[in-house]
Amino acid sequence: MKLSQKVESMHLSPIRKFYPYADKAKAMGKKVYGLNIGQPDIETPREFFDAVNNYNADVLAYAPSNGLPILAEAISGYYRRIGVMFEPEEIIITNGGSEALEMIFNSIIDDGDEVVMAEPFYTNYDSFVKQAGGKLVPIKCTADDGYHYAERAKIEAAITDKTKAIAIINPGNPTGVVLTKEEMRLIADIAKEHDLFLICDEVYREFVYDGLEMSSFAEFDDIDENLILVDSVSKRFSACGARCGSIATHNKDLFVAFVKFCQARLCTATLEQVGSAALYNMDPSYFHDIKKEYENRRNVSYAALQEIEGIKCAKPQGAFYITCQLPVDDAEEFLIWMLENFDIDGETTMFAPAGGFFGTPGVGKSDIRIAYVLKAEEMQKGINIIKEAIKAYNAR
Amino acid sequence: MKLSQKVESMHLSPIRKFYPYADKAKAMGKKVYGLNIGQPDIETPREFFDAVNNYNADVLAYAPSNGLPILAEAISGYYRRIGVMFEPEEIIITNGGSEALEMIFNSIIDDGDEVVMAEPFYTNYDSFVKQAGGKLVPIKCTADDGYHYAERAKIEAAITDKTKAIAIINPGNPTGVVLTKEEMRLIADIAKEHDLFLICDEVYREFVYDGLEMSSFAEFDDIDENLILVDSVSKRFSACGARCGSIATHNKDLFVAFVKFCQARLCTATLEQVGSAALYNMDPSYFHDIKKEYENRRNVSYAALQEIEGIKCAKPQGAFYITCQLPVDDAEEFLIWMLENFDIDGETTMFAPAGGFFGTPGVGKSDIRIAYVLKAEEMQKGINIIKEAIKAYNAR
């Protein structure tokens, strides 16, 4: 009884596979700063819990396959407020942004098809593309160029006759790169010229700093057939455990394809949709303080990283991640060593080695991703531990 | 921009695609008895809602990818009480039984691989197998033989060198067939002899009638490597909207494969797992009244169906479905006609045409599935409408 080739080609999450080492450090009584995963410590708005607790039904029934109408309407209203038009009937509710990506790749990819994406990429994209039988082809970027990818030559170098889509996370995970409007236009043009789907994951849309304007690929009105817009409550409303994502598209054939997957898996959790509708109906002023908080954490984290001698790091302008290259040969080995051997006053740090975020062989071994999801002083302490650990590690 | 071949090969749900006709009947002021879908009207236990409402956290965080330990422990305890042993570490929490099946088929199937399953089959199995690139091969059964499939010759006729698994729903959806212990042993033997995975979907385990004992394939201790056990709170606790399923297996390689999919999609909804743990911790006496209620509905529904002249129908012994063959040429056309043209005192009925539940070409066009999920008197009324509608339809 053999397993499938597609599951054999998949890997355990490079973000989560170091948990056993962190657990061991905790079991030894150490405090571990968790900078490895995008799980914010920001409180989930009470609106979510209130809506769930007020839900009044004797039978917790299946929701409609495409999602509860109240949630699709709430998302449509949210889009309208940011100047983007999707009817509720053009929106599909998914089990987190993750299921959105699964449905998208399964709808457009057959064995051997390719998806182009900037490197380093959020590693789960690689899993979802492989799961669908396809291959993620990287747009090659490095720490030296600040992980900027929005150049015609770089992108077109990755496109072949097997390419089905360009996938973009903007603001970026794991790099925090935010595209300018001109760069977005360029990418839209390339998708049109090469007849490619354009998968735009904008779950960090509100989290842009330095006075930048947030924007959406859905503002372009000439890519209706290409565009597949992915959103989620996880980061936007600090509600990762709600698993409530969405897909919006004007492409009617694609929409029917998604509905097939929706109907096959019946629906997503009813209560979570009720709670998420309350989140999307909140006043947009909610984001004001959250954004200021993240911007401060970004500033503190970036400044702390600059203290590390030999680090290569560009200042991110959005989302809540920083990818950087550490002055160590192998970030995975360094992380394991740090968790097992290094602490300052009983405290140590967990980050995500970014090797699994790169598709180009041999690239990214020294790169790591940090999520600035903890309070500023904790970020500072956690990064300082990395700094001191590197000194000790390289002096062994 | 073409869609994938796999999504092109998938269909919209044959259970759900007739909703527009029912909606039209409702818009005309008619009452529609919904016998088409396994959505029980039994109340969801308050334990679920109480646990959700008492959940106290500032941040609704990601759950662990494999599931919340309290839920895995509750399921392990539930299994122990029915004489089946799975450690919490051998249990994966999924987004409904549906995601369990997606993970299973993606873990064992590559393009062209086959899964053997009794016909008529729960149609979503066909979708999930296709989604994974495979093909569902039917064990041929008909209304004439009461849809009984547990015969060596019938099963082995469907097995080829591409077969990776036998999939069983026991008690059966859509037929209500319940396997005897001898039949289960035969199927287990065939799986072992042919080196096949044995996917056992036992979500209706408690719903067996006529004094039959419920049992599980997990009681056999010689198929640990073959067995993949699927469960769900949806039907068991009338909590379809919770989307809380599970996979249990002793096969360590398979388990790691499932974890890859779990980690890629991060986790399932946290609150729903908290509520579902409370369900699995309930006293087993809960099922006593529920089972009596379904048995009565089964008796009333079966008796009402027997009133239809020319019907072919075997008395189901479990789950809450009856599949039968109506004396009409095409059950889909008849359903549409009935929803559009027929009512008794402003009431009409919706059932599931079972054509999509058959893989053998040309078979099943006159077959339908009824779910006895409504109160006995409603079942009686709904089936009586079908009876009278057939007379009118065939006399047109």
Side-chain angles (χ1 to χ4, degrees), chain A residues 4-7 10 13 16 44 60 65 106-107 109-110 132 260 263, chain B residues 4-7 10 13 16 39 44 60 65 106-107 109-110 132 260 263:
Chain A
S4 68
Q5 286 166 28
K6 56 179 162 290
V7 82
M10 289 169 65
S13 164
R16 295 182 172 227
T44 310
L60 186 62
S65 290
N106 274 316
S107 294
I109 287 179
D110 284 309
K260 290 182 185 177
Q263 290 190 346
Chain B
S4 68
Q5 287 166 27
K6 57 179 163 288
V7 81
M10 287 169 66
S13 165
R16 295 181 174 229
Q39 169 59 64
T44 310
L60 185 63
S65 290
N106 274 316
S107 294
I109 288 178
D110 284 311
K260 289 181 186 177
Q263 291 191 346

PDB file of all heavy atoms in Angstrom, chain A residues 4-7 10 13 16 44 60 65 106-107 109-110 132 260 263, chain B residues 4-7 10 13 16 39 44 60 65 106-107 109-110 132 260 263:
ATOM      1  N   SER A   4       0.415   8.349  -2.132  1.00  0.00           N
ATOM      2  CA  SER A   4       0.426   9.028  -3.428  1.00  0.00           C
ATOM      3  C   SER A   4       1.750   9.759  -3.638  1.00  0.00           C
ATOM      4  O   SER A   4       2.412  10.168  -2.680  1.00  0.00           O
ATOM      5  CB  SER A   4      -0.730  10.025  -3.515  1.00  0.00           C
ATOM      6  OG  SER A   4      -0.517  11.099  -2.629  1.00  0.00           O
ATOM      7  N   GLN A   5       2.130   9.910  -4.907  1.00  0.00           N
ATOM      8  CA  GLN A   5       3.354  10.674  -5.195  1.00  0.00           C
ATOM      9  C   GLN A   5       3.203  12.118  -4.750  1.00  0.00           C
ATOM     10  O   GLN A   5       4.164  12.743  -4.324  1.00  0.00           O
ATOM     11  CB  GLN A   5       3.654  10.620  -6.690  1.00  0.00           C
ATOM     12  CG  GLN A   5       4.192   9.269  -7.131  1.00  0.00           C
ATOM     13  CD  GLN A   5       4.166   9.108  -8.644  1.00  0.00           C
ATOM     14  OE1 GLN A   5       4.254  10.088  -9.377  1.00  0.00           O
ATOM     15  NE2 GLN A   5       4.045   7.876  -9.100  1.00  0.00           N
ATOM     16  N   LYS A   6       1.960  12.639  -4.845  1.00  0.00           N
ATOM     17  CA  LYS A   6       1.834  14.058  -4.487  1.00  0.00           C
ATOM     18  C   LYS A   6       2.066  14.277  -3.002  1.00  0.00           C
ATOM     19  O   LYS A   6       2.683  15.253  -2.608  1.00  0.00           O
ATOM     20  CB  LYS A   6       0.531  14.683  -4.993  1.00  0.00           C
ATOM     21  CG  LYS A   6      -0.757  14.071  -4.600  1.00  0.00           C
ATOM     22  CD  LYS A   6      -1.922  14.906  -5.218  1.00  0.00           C
ATOM     23  CE  LYS A   6      -3.221  14.127  -5.229  1.00  0.00           C
ATOM     24  NZ  LYS A   6      -3.283  13.011  -6.168  1.00  0.00           N
ATOM     25  N   VAL A   7       1.614  13.344  -2.168  1.00  0.00           N
ATOM     26  CA  VAL A   7       1.854  13.567  -0.735  1.00  0.00           C
ATOM     27  C   VAL A   7       3.325  13.302  -0.396  1.00  0.00           C
ATOM     28  O   VAL A   7       3.896  13.949   0.477  1.00  0.00           O
ATOM     29  CB  VAL A   7       0.888  12.738   0.149  1.00  0.00           C
ATOM     30  CG1 VAL A   7       1.352  11.300   0.319  1.00  0.00           C
ATOM     31  CG2 VAL A   7       0.742  13.400   1.522  1.00  0.00           C
ATOM     32  N   MET A  10       5.212  16.399  -0.853  1.00  0.00           N
ATOM     33  CA  MET A  10       4.933  17.474   0.101  1.00  0.00           C
ATOM     34  C   MET A  10       5.803  17.314   1.353  1.00  0.00           C
ATOM     35  O   MET A  10       6.286  16.232   1.654  1.00  0.00           O
ATOM     36  CB  MET A  10       3.446  17.451   0.506  1.00  0.00           C
ATOM     37  CG  MET A  10       2.493  17.906  -0.590  1.00  0.00           C
ATOM     38  SD  MET A  10       0.751  17.579  -0.189  1.00  0.00           S
ATOM     39  CE  MET A  10       0.497  18.648   1.239  1.00  0.00           C
ATOM     40  N   SER A  13       5.388  21.267   7.511  1.00  0.00           N
ATOM     41  CA  SER A  13       5.563  22.714   7.501  1.00  0.00           C
ATOM     42  C   SER A  13       6.906  23.120   8.081  1.00  0.00           C
ATOM     43  O   SER A  13       7.227  22.764   9.207  1.00  0.00           O
ATOM     44  CB  SER A  13       4.449  23.369   8.315  1.00  0.00           C
ATOM     45  OG  SER A  13       4.806  24.690   8.613  1.00  0.00           O
ATOM     46  N   ARG A  16       6.362  24.895  11.282  1.00  0.00           N
ATOM     47  CA  ARG A  16       5.896  24.179  12.468  1.00  0.00           C
ATOM     48  C   ARG A  16       6.809  23.030  12.897  1.00  0.00           C
ATOM     49  O   ARG A  16       6.669  22.502  13.983  1.00  0.00           O
ATOM     50  CB  ARG A  16       4.471  23.656  12.216  1.00  0.00           C
ATOM     51  CG  ARG A  16       3.476  24.813  12.034  1.00  0.00           C
ATOM     52  CD  ARG A  16       2.046  24.365  11.827  1.00  0.00           C
ATOM     53  NE  ARG A  16       1.164  25.530  11.856  1.00  0.00           N
ATOM     54  CZ  ARG A  16       0.039  25.624  12.541  1.00  0.00           C
ATOM     55  NH1 ARG A  16      -0.370  24.629  13.277  1.00  0.00           N
ATOM     56  NH2 ARG A  16      -0.688  26.729  12.523  1.00  0.00           N
ATOM     57  N   THR A  44      -8.999  39.591  19.655  1.00  0.00           N
ATOM     58  CA  THR A  44     -10.078  39.441  18.680  1.00  0.00           C
ATOM     59  C   THR A  44     -11.235  40.349  19.125  1.00  0.00           C
ATOM     60  O   THR A  44     -11.608  40.332  20.297  1.00  0.00           O
ATOM     61  CB  THR A  44     -10.563  37.970  18.660  1.00  0.00           C
ATOM     62  OG1 THR A  44      -9.426  37.118  18.527  1.00  0.00           O
ATOM     63  CG2 THR A  44     -11.533  37.729  17.522  1.00  0.00           C
ATOM     64  N   LEU A  60     -27.888  23.264  14.832  1.00  0.00           N
ATOM     65  CA  LEU A  60     -26.752  23.884  14.157  1.00  0.00           C
ATOM     66  C   LEU A  60     -26.655  23.253  12.769  1.00  0.00           C
ATOM     67  O   LEU A  60     -26.007  22.221  12.582  1.00  0.00           O
ATOM     68  CB  LEU A  60     -25.464  23.648  14.959  1.00  0.00           C
ATOM     69  CG  LEU A  60     -24.220  24.358  14.439  1.00  0.00           C
ATOM     70  CD1 LEU A  60     -24.386  25.863  14.479  1.00  0.00           C
ATOM     71  CD2 LEU A  60     -22.987  23.934  15.232  1.00  0.00           C
ATOM     72  N   SER A  65     -23.520  26.056   0.714  1.00  0.00           N
ATOM     73  CA  SER A  65     -22.163  25.667   0.299  1.00  0.00           C
ATOM     74  C   SER A  65     -21.270  26.865  -0.002  1.00  0.00           C
ATOM     75  O   SER A  65     -20.093  26.879   0.356  1.00  0.00           O
ATOM     76  CB  SER A  65     -22.226  24.782  -0.944  1.00  0.00           C
ATOM     77  OG  SER A  65     -22.755  23.529  -0.616  1.00  0.00           O
ATOM     78  N   ASN A 106      -6.641  23.781  -7.379  1.00  0.00           N
ATOM     79  CA  ASN A 106      -7.300  22.605  -7.953  1.00  0.00           C
ATOM     80  C   ASN A 106      -8.169  22.967  -9.155  1.00  0.00           C
ATOM     81  O   ASN A 106      -8.408  22.119 -10.022  1.00  0.00           O
ATOM     82  CB  ASN A 106      -8.146  21.897  -6.892  1.00  0.00           C
ATOM     83  CG  ASN A 106      -7.337  20.914  -6.068  1.00  0.00           C
ATOM     84  OD1 ASN A 106      -6.537  20.153  -6.601  1.00  0.00           O
ATOM     85  ND2 ASN A 106      -7.516  20.943  -4.768  1.00  0.00           N
ATOM     86  N   SER A 107      -8.627  24.183  -9.200  1.00  0.00           N
ATOM     87  CA  SER A 107      -9.497  24.601 -10.310  1.00  0.00           C
ATOM     88  C   SER A 107      -8.720  24.955 -11.565  1.00  0.00           C
ATOM     89  O   SER A 107      -9.288  24.960 -12.661  1.00  0.00           O
ATOM     90  CB  SER A 107     -10.342  25.816  -9.905  1.00  0.00           C
ATOM     91  OG  SER A 107     -11.256  25.469  -8.896  1.00  0.00           O
ATOM     92  N   ILE A 109      -5.109  23.955 -12.088  1.00  0.00           N
ATOM     93  CA  ILE A 109      -3.866  23.216 -12.308  1.00  0.00           C
ATOM     94  C   ILE A 109      -4.106  21.739 -12.535  1.00  0.00           C
ATOM     95  O   ILE A 109      -4.840  21.109 -11.781  1.00  0.00           O
ATOM     96  CB  ILE A 109      -2.933  23.383 -11.080  1.00  0.00           C
ATOM     97  CG1 ILE A 109      -2.368  24.796 -11.068  1.00  0.00           C
ATOM     98  CG2 ILE A 109      -1.802  22.368 -11.097  1.00  0.00           C
ATOM     99  CD1 ILE A 109      -1.477  25.043  -9.890  1.00  0.00           C
ATOM    100  N   ASP A 110      -3.485  21.200 -13.581  1.00  0.00           N
ATOM    101  CA  ASP A 110      -3.375  19.762 -13.753  1.00  0.00           C
ATOM    102  C   ASP A 110      -1.903  19.383 -13.601  1.00  0.00           C
ATOM    103  O   ASP A 110      -1.036  20.257 -13.474  1.00  0.00           O
ATOM    104  CB  ASP A 110      -3.897  19.341 -15.133  1.00  0.00           C
ATOM    105  CG  ASP A 110      -5.416  19.360 -15.191  1.00  0.00           C
ATOM    106  OD1 ASP A 110      -6.045  18.771 -14.298  1.00  0.00           O
ATOM    107  OD2 ASP A 110      -5.966  19.970 -16.124  1.00  0.00           O
ATOM    108  N   ALA A 132      -2.148  19.980  -5.803  1.00  0.00           N
ATOM    109  CA  ALA A 132      -2.964  20.017  -7.029  1.00  0.00           C
ATOM    110  C   ALA A 132      -2.236  19.354  -8.198  1.00  0.00           C
ATOM    111  O   ALA A 132      -2.785  19.265  -9.293  1.00  0.00           O
ATOM    112  CB  ALA A 132      -3.320  21.459  -7.373  1.00  0.00           C
ATOM    113  N   LYS A 260     -18.219  23.887  -7.342  1.00  0.00           N
ATOM    114  CA  LYS A 260     -18.134  22.414  -7.328  1.00  0.00           C
ATOM    115  C   LYS A 260     -17.389  21.935  -6.084  1.00  0.00           C
ATOM    116  O   LYS A 260     -17.818  21.001  -5.413  1.00  0.00           O
ATOM    117  CB  LYS A 260     -17.423  21.913  -8.590  1.00  0.00           C
ATOM    118  CG  LYS A 260     -18.236  22.078  -9.862  1.00  0.00           C
ATOM    119  CD  LYS A 260     -17.442  21.502 -11.044  1.00  0.00           C
ATOM    120  CE  LYS A 260     -18.153  21.755 -12.361  1.00  0.00           C
ATOM    121  NZ  LYS A 260     -17.348  21.254 -13.497  1.00  0.00           N
ATOM    122  N   GLN A 263     -19.562  22.561  -2.969  1.00  0.00           N
ATOM    123  CA  GLN A 263     -20.647  21.605  -2.771  1.00  0.00           C
ATOM    124  C   GLN A 263     -20.106  20.246  -2.340  1.00  0.00           C
ATOM    125  O   GLN A 263     -20.735  19.555  -1.542  1.00  0.00           O
ATOM    126  CB  GLN A 263     -21.472  21.485  -4.056  1.00  0.00           C
ATOM    127  CG  GLN A 263     -22.267  22.749  -4.334  1.00  0.00           C
ATOM    128  CD  GLN A 263     -23.281  22.588  -5.448  1.00  0.00           C
ATOM    129  OE1 GLN A 263     -23.236  21.615  -6.197  1.00  0.00           O
ATOM    130  NE2 GLN A 263     -24.192  23.548  -5.564  1.00  0.00           N
TER     131      GLN A 263
ATOM    132  N   SER B   4      -8.779  23.482 -14.894  1.00  0.00           N
ATOM    133  CA  SER B   4      -8.124  22.181 -14.828  1.00  0.00           C
ATOM    134  C   SER B   4      -9.062  21.084 -15.341  1.00  0.00           C
ATOM    135  O   SER B   4     -10.283  21.208 -15.267  1.00  0.00           O
ATOM    136  CB  SER B   4      -7.709  21.869 -13.386  1.00  0.00           C
ATOM    137  OG  SER B   4      -8.842  21.670 -12.575  1.00  0.00           O
ATOM    138  N   GLN B   5      -8.454  20.027 -15.863  1.00  0.00           N
ATOM    139  CA  GLN B   5      -9.273  18.886 -16.301  1.00  0.00           C
ATOM    140  C   GLN B   5     -10.012  18.275 -15.130  1.00  0.00           C
ATOM    141  O   GLN B   5     -11.132  17.790 -15.275  1.00  0.00           O
ATOM    142  CB  GLN B   5      -8.383  17.838 -16.967  1.00  0.00           C
ATOM    143  CG  GLN B   5      -7.910  18.264 -18.356  1.00  0.00           C
ATOM    144  CD  GLN B   5      -6.778  17.387 -18.868  1.00  0.00           C
ATOM    145  OE1 GLN B   5      -6.656  16.228 -18.490  1.00  0.00           O
ATOM    146  NE2 GLN B   5      -5.942  17.947 -19.718  1.00  0.00           N
ATOM    147  N   LYS B   6      -9.363  18.291 -13.951  1.00  0.00           N
ATOM    148  CA  LYS B   6     -10.045  17.630 -12.835  1.00  0.00           C
ATOM    149  C   LYS B   6     -11.311  18.367 -12.429  1.00  0.00           C
ATOM    150  O   LYS B   6     -12.320  17.744 -12.126  1.00  0.00           O
ATOM    151  CB  LYS B   6      -9.111  17.334 -11.660  1.00  0.00           C
ATOM    152  CG  LYS B   6      -8.375  18.464 -11.026  1.00  0.00           C
ATOM    153  CD  LYS B   6      -7.523  17.906  -9.838  1.00  0.00           C
ATOM    154  CE  LYS B   6      -6.449  18.893  -9.431  1.00  0.00           C
ATOM    155  NZ  LYS B   6      -5.341  19.027 -10.380  1.00  0.00           N
ATOM    156  N   VAL B   7     -11.288  19.696 -12.481  1.00  0.00           N
ATOM    157  CA  VAL B   7     -12.524  20.396 -12.103  1.00  0.00           C
ATOM    158  C   VAL B   7     -13.562  20.269 -13.221  1.00  0.00           C
ATOM    159  O   VAL B   7     -14.759  20.197 -12.956  1.00  0.00           O
ATOM    160  CB  VAL B   7     -12.259  21.867 -11.711  1.00  0.00           C
ATOM    161  CG1 VAL B   7     -12.137  22.781 -12.919  1.00  0.00           C
ATOM    162  CG2 VAL B   7     -13.375  22.375 -10.799  1.00  0.00           C
ATOM    163  N   MET B  10     -15.515  17.221 -12.659  1.00  0.00           N
ATOM    164  CA  MET B  10     -16.398  17.227 -11.482  1.00  0.00           C
ATOM    165  C   MET B  10     -17.756  17.838 -11.844  1.00  0.00           C
ATOM    166  O   MET B  10     -17.872  18.593 -12.802  1.00  0.00           O
ATOM    167  CB  MET B  10     -15.763  18.037 -10.344  1.00  0.00           C
ATOM    168  CG  MET B  10     -14.592  17.337  -9.667  1.00  0.00           C
ATOM    169  SD  MET B  10     -13.677  18.441  -8.539  1.00  0.00           S
ATOM    170  CE  MET B  10     -14.907  18.764  -7.271  1.00  0.00           C
ATOM    171  N   SER B  13     -23.277  19.356  -7.232  1.00  0.00           N
ATOM    172  CA  SER B  13     -23.889  18.313  -6.418  1.00  0.00           C
ATOM    173  C   SER B  13     -25.269  17.945  -6.929  1.00  0.00           C
ATOM    174  O   SER B  13     -26.146  18.791  -7.061  1.00  0.00           O
ATOM    175  CB  SER B  13     -24.008  18.796  -4.976  1.00  0.00           C
ATOM    176  OG  SER B  13     -24.901  17.958  -4.276  1.00  0.00           O
ATOM    177  N   ARG B  16     -27.816  19.033  -4.479  1.00  0.00           N
ATOM    178  CA  ARG B  16     -28.113  20.447  -4.290  1.00  0.00           C
ATOM    179  C   ARG B  16     -28.583  21.169  -5.546  1.00  0.00           C
ATOM    180  O   ARG B  16     -29.072  22.276  -5.468  1.00  0.00           O
ATOM    181  CB  ARG B  16     -26.875  21.151  -3.694  1.00  0.00           C
ATOM    182  CG  ARG B  16     -26.559  20.633  -2.292  1.00  0.00           C
ATOM    183  CD  ARG B  16     -25.360  21.291  -1.636  1.00  0.00           C
ATOM    184  NE  ARG B  16     -25.247  20.817  -0.249  1.00  0.00           N
ATOM    185  CZ  ARG B  16     -25.084  21.589   0.812  1.00  0.00           C
ATOM    186  NH1 ARG B  16     -24.988  22.888   0.673  1.00  0.00           N
ATOM    187  NH2 ARG B  16     -25.003  21.071   2.030  1.00  0.00           N
ATOM    188  N   GLN B  39     -29.948  16.571   6.595  1.00  0.00           N
ATOM    189  CA  GLN B  39     -29.908  17.632   7.601  1.00  0.00           C
ATOM    190  C   GLN B  39     -31.027  17.357   8.609  1.00  0.00           C
ATOM    191  O   GLN B  39     -32.169  17.709   8.376  1.00  0.00           O
ATOM    192  CB  GLN B  39     -30.103  19.006   6.944  1.00  0.00           C
ATOM    193  CG  GLN B  39     -30.336  20.169   7.902  1.00  0.00           C
ATOM    194  CD  GLN B  39     -29.194  20.359   8.867  1.00  0.00           C
ATOM    195  OE1 GLN B  39     -28.086  20.670   8.471  1.00  0.00           O
ATOM    196  NE2 GLN B  39     -29.446  20.123  10.152  1.00  0.00           N
ATOM    197  N   THR B  44     -29.544  20.137  18.279  1.00  0.00           N
ATOM    198  CA  THR B  44     -28.140  19.987  18.656  1.00  0.00           C
ATOM    199  C   THR B  44     -28.061  20.081  20.188  1.00  0.00           C
ATOM    200  O   THR B  44     -28.654  20.992  20.768  1.00  0.00           O
ATOM    201  CB  THR B  44     -27.307  21.125  18.036  1.00  0.00           C
ATOM    202  OG1 THR B  44     -27.607  21.218  16.637  1.00  0.00           O
ATOM    203  CG2 THR B  44     -25.823  20.884  18.225  1.00  0.00           C
ATOM    204  N   LEU B  60      -8.707  34.662  19.559  1.00  0.00           N
ATOM    205  CA  LEU B  60      -9.156  33.400  18.974  1.00  0.00           C
ATOM    206  C   LEU B  60      -8.013  32.882  18.095  1.00  0.00           C
ATOM    207  O   LEU B  60      -7.914  33.208  16.917  1.00  0.00           O
ATOM    208  CB  LEU B  60     -10.427  33.628  18.149  1.00  0.00           C
ATOM    209  CG  LEU B  60     -11.081  32.373  17.570  1.00  0.00           C
ATOM    210  CD1 LEU B  60     -11.556  31.444  18.680  1.00  0.00           C
ATOM    211  CD2 LEU B  60     -12.243  32.726  16.654  1.00  0.00           C
ATOM    212  N   SER B  65      -2.442  22.053  14.313  1.00  0.00           N
ATOM    213  CA  SER B  65      -2.846  21.548  12.993  1.00  0.00           C
ATOM    214  C   SER B  65      -3.618  20.236  13.060  1.00  0.00           C
ATOM    215  O   SER B  65      -4.598  20.045  12.341  1.00  0.00           O
ATOM    216  CB  SER B  65      -1.616  21.347  12.106  1.00  0.00           C
ATOM    217  OG  SER B  65      -1.080  22.597  11.754  1.00  0.00           O
ATOM    218  N   ASN B 106      -6.293  12.266  -1.345  1.00  0.00           N
ATOM    219  CA  ASN B 106      -5.067  12.914  -1.809  1.00  0.00           C
ATOM    220  C   ASN B 106      -3.814  12.196  -1.303  1.00  0.00           C
ATOM    221  O   ASN B 106      -2.762  12.274  -1.921  1.00  0.00           O
ATOM    222  CB  ASN B 106      -5.040  14.374  -1.369  1.00  0.00           C
ATOM    223  CG  ASN B 106      -5.766  15.280  -2.351  1.00  0.00           C
ATOM    224  OD1 ASN B 106      -5.602  15.151  -3.561  1.00  0.00           O
ATOM    225  ND2 ASN B 106      -6.586  16.171  -1.832  1.00  0.00           N
ATOM    226  N   SER B 107      -3.933  11.505  -0.179  1.00  0.00           N
ATOM    227  CA  SER B 107      -2.766  10.819   0.386  1.00  0.00           C
ATOM    228  C   SER B 107      -2.482   9.482  -0.287  1.00  0.00           C
ATOM    229  O   SER B 107      -1.369   8.969  -0.184  1.00  0.00           O
ATOM    230  CB  SER B 107      -2.964  10.571   1.885  1.00  0.00           C
ATOM    231  OG  SER B 107      -2.995  11.791   2.586  1.00  0.00           O
ATOM    232  N   ILE B 109      -3.983   8.528  -3.622  1.00  0.00           N
ATOM    233  CA  ILE B 109      -4.324   8.449  -5.043  1.00  0.00           C
ATOM    234  C   ILE B 109      -3.487   9.381  -5.899  1.00  0.00           C
ATOM    235  O   ILE B 109      -3.343  10.563  -5.582  1.00  0.00           O
ATOM    236  CB  ILE B 109      -5.818   8.804  -5.242  1.00  0.00           C
ATOM    237  CG1 ILE B 109      -6.684   7.663  -4.719  1.00  0.00           C
ATOM    238  CG2 ILE B 109      -6.148   9.081  -6.709  1.00  0.00           C
ATOM    239  CD1 ILE B 109      -8.146   7.948  -4.843  1.00  0.00           C
ATOM    240  N   ASP B 110      -2.939   8.823  -6.986  1.00  0.00           N
ATOM    241  CA  ASP B 110      -2.372   9.643  -8.052  1.00  0.00           C
ATOM    242  C   ASP B 110      -3.245   9.468  -9.283  1.00  0.00           C
ATOM    243  O   ASP B 110      -4.182   8.658  -9.289  1.00  0.00           O
ATOM    244  CB  ASP B 110      -0.927   9.213  -8.343  1.00  0.00           C
ATOM    245  CG  ASP B 110       0.038   9.704  -7.281  1.00  0.00           C
ATOM    246  OD1 ASP B 110      -0.009  10.902  -6.950  1.00  0.00           O
ATOM    247  OD2 ASP B 110       0.830   8.897  -6.779  1.00  0.00           O
ATOM    248  N   ALA B 132      -8.797  14.221  -6.519  1.00  0.00           N
ATOM    249  CA  ALA B 132      -7.453  13.694  -6.271  1.00  0.00           C
ATOM    250  C   ALA B 132      -6.836  13.111  -7.543  1.00  0.00           C
ATOM    251  O   ALA B 132      -5.692  12.658  -7.520  1.00  0.00           O
ATOM    252  CB  ALA B 132      -7.506  12.627  -5.172  1.00  0.00           C
ATOM    253  N   LYS B 260       0.746  16.364   6.894  1.00  0.00           N
ATOM    254  CA  LYS B 260       1.207  17.328   5.876  1.00  0.00           C
ATOM    255  C   LYS B 260       0.047  18.192   5.394  1.00  0.00           C
ATOM    256  O   LYS B 260       0.168  19.409   5.273  1.00  0.00           O
ATOM    257  CB  LYS B 260       1.832  16.586   4.687  1.00  0.00           C
ATOM    258  CG  LYS B 260       3.175  15.944   4.998  1.00  0.00           C
ATOM    259  CD  LYS B 260       3.714  15.264   3.738  1.00  0.00           C
ATOM    260  CE  LYS B 260       4.987  14.488   4.033  1.00  0.00           C
ATOM    261  NZ  LYS B 260       5.469  13.779   2.819  1.00  0.00           N
ATOM    262  N   GLN B 263      -1.047  20.580   8.208  1.00  0.00           N
ATOM    263  CA  GLN B 263      -0.165  21.728   8.406  1.00  0.00           C
ATOM    264  C   GLN B 263      -0.318  22.727   7.262  1.00  0.00           C
ATOM    265  O   GLN B 263      -0.257  23.933   7.481  1.00  0.00           O
ATOM    266  CB  GLN B 263       1.285  21.266   8.545  1.00  0.00           C
ATOM    267  CG  GLN B 263       1.520  20.520   9.851  1.00  0.00           C
ATOM    268  CD  GLN B 263       2.983  20.269  10.147  1.00  0.00           C
ATOM    269  OE1 GLN B 263       3.835  20.405   9.279  1.00  0.00           O
ATOM    270  NE2 GLN B 263       3.279  19.885  11.383  1.00  0.00           N
TER     271      GLN B 263
END
